[in-house]
């Protein structure tokens, strides 16, 4: 979001208004929409059903699982989150790194082993919750479950939030 704000404040405003519309909030107060969670249907559902520290805790649990899944899918399974398209090579305007960049100097084998270990730990935790809860969380991470519809939480969205709550409880959070 910071990159958008620096490059084009109007684009940032458009993104925040779209997030508010998708989450069923008014466009009057956009400060809440700056949360990364509102960029995902899962985050929108969590913050629509829960609030305060509880919502923050549920989002942190889900986001940690989603991040582990994405690393595992990319590094171990070779799946790409986005479709493969042609790339147009262009000279960058500036050369540098962002403040939040964290270079990973490990070998590909070390990255794969780390991703596999992390998914094994999440798999163990997921076995402590019911199969329906597991399916909802995995579906949300793969974006195959509709959690929000026209700014309203769906029945699956409410069940998903309960599933993340069960996962957080299984993890002792």
């Amino acid at each position: 979001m910071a990159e958008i704000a620096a490059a084009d404040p109007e684009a940032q405003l458009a993104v925040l208004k779209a997030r508010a519309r998708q989450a069923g909030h008014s466009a009057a107060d956009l400060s809440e929409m700056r949360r990364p969670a509102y960029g995902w249907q899962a985050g929108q559902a969590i913050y629509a059903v829960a609030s305060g520290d509880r919502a923050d805790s549920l989002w942190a649990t889900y986001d940690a699982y989603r991040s582990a899944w994405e690393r595992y899918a990319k590094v171990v399974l070779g799946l790409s989150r986005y479709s493969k398209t042609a790339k147009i090579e262009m000279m960058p305007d500036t050369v540098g790194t962002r403040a939040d960049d964290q270079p990973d100097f490990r070998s590909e084998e070390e990255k794969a082993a780390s991703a596999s270990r992390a998914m094994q730990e999440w798999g163990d935790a997921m076995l402590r919750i019911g199969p329906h809860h597991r399916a909802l969380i995995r579906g949300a991470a793969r974006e195959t479950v509709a959690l929000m519809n026209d700014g309203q939480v769906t029945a699956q969205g409410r069940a998903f939030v309960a599933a993340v709550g069960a996962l957080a409880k299984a993890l002792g959070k």
Side-chain angles (χ1 to χ4, degrees):
M1 187 62 76
E3 290 88 11
I4 295 173
D8 188 356
E10 289 181 25
Q12 181 189 31
L13 185 61
V15 167
L16 294 175
K17 284 182 179 179
R19 283 183 176 184
R21 187 176 56 254
Q22 290 169 347
H25 290 263
S26 73
D29 180 25
L30 298 177
S31 61
E32 181 74 11
M33 297 301 114
R34 293 181 189 283
R35 289 178 184 260
Y38 281 102
W40 302 88
Q41 271 197 19
Q44 293 170 11
I46 287 170
Y47 281 93
V49 173
S51 61
D53 291 342
R54 177 74 177 142
D56 293 341
S57 173
L58 292 175
W59 171 250
T61 299
Y62 170 75
D63 192 43
Y65 171 78
R66 183 195 54 77
S67 296
W69 160 251
E70 285 183 5
R71 267 192 317 279
Y72 179 78
K74 181 180 179 184
V75 174
V76 177
L77 302 178
L79 299 176
S80 178
R81 178 168 176 72
Y82 305 103
S83 61
K84 304 278 186 201
T85 59
K87 219 185 340 181
I88 300 174
E89 296 294 336
M90 301 175 77
M91 291 298 294
D93 292 332
T94 59
V95 178
T97 61
R98 296 188 328 235
D100 63 342
D101 280 346
Q102 297 177 352
D104 190 352
F105 299 110
R106 297 177 296 172
S107 69
E108 292 302 316
E109 293 81 18
E110 291 171 325
K111 290 177 186 177
S114 175
S116 294
R117 267 192 315 277
M119 273 316 291
Q120 181 61 48
E121 290 170 11
W122 280 106
D124 293 344
M126 294 281 259
L127 287 175
R128 296 195 291 270
I129 63 175
H132 183 66
H133 284 161
R134 285 195 300 270
L136 284 167
I137 293 171
R138 287 178 179 147
R142 292 162 179 81
E143 296 184 10
T144 58
V145 177
L147 305 175
M148 299 288 291
N149 186 17
D150 291 331
Q152 300 296 318
V153 182
T154 64
Q156 284 185 320
R158 291 189 184 285
F160 161 75
V161 175
V164 174
L167 180 59
K169 186 176 180 182
L171 293 169
K173 294 183 179 181

